[in-house]
Amino acid sequence: MQEAYGEHGYTMQEIADYAGLHHSTVSRLIKKGEKNAQNKS
């Protein structure tokens, strides 16, 4: 999801529709992934 959003320019709504999730769920997952990536740096 992070790659689709950050590198390929898909919107959170497009990702949510594809994955069968609500856009707020996608937002939370992307933010959580970004936070985890920062902690690993």
Side-chain angles (χ1 to χ4, degrees), residues 22-41:
H22 194 271
H23 70 274
S24 63
T25 304
V26 172
S27 176
R28 272 187 255 116
L29 290 169
I30 289 172
K31 287 179 184 179
K32 184 177 181 180
E34 289 172 352
K35 184 178 178 182
N36 288 339
Q38 288 176 351
N39 289 338
K40 290 180 181 180
S41 300

Side-chain angles (χ1 to χ4, degrees), residues 1-10 15 30 34:
M1 288 184 193
Q2 280 182 282
E3 184 176 335
Y5 179 72
E7 296 180 25
H8 299 287
Y10 288 95
I15 296 166
I30 289 172
E34 289 172 352

Side-chain angles (χ1 to χ4, degrees), residues 4-5 8-21 23 26:
Y5 179 72
H8 299 287
Y10 288 95
T11 65
M12 289 185 193
Q13 186 62 57
E14 289 172 324
I15 296 166
D17 290 344
Y18 179 80
L21 301 170
H23 70 274
V26 172

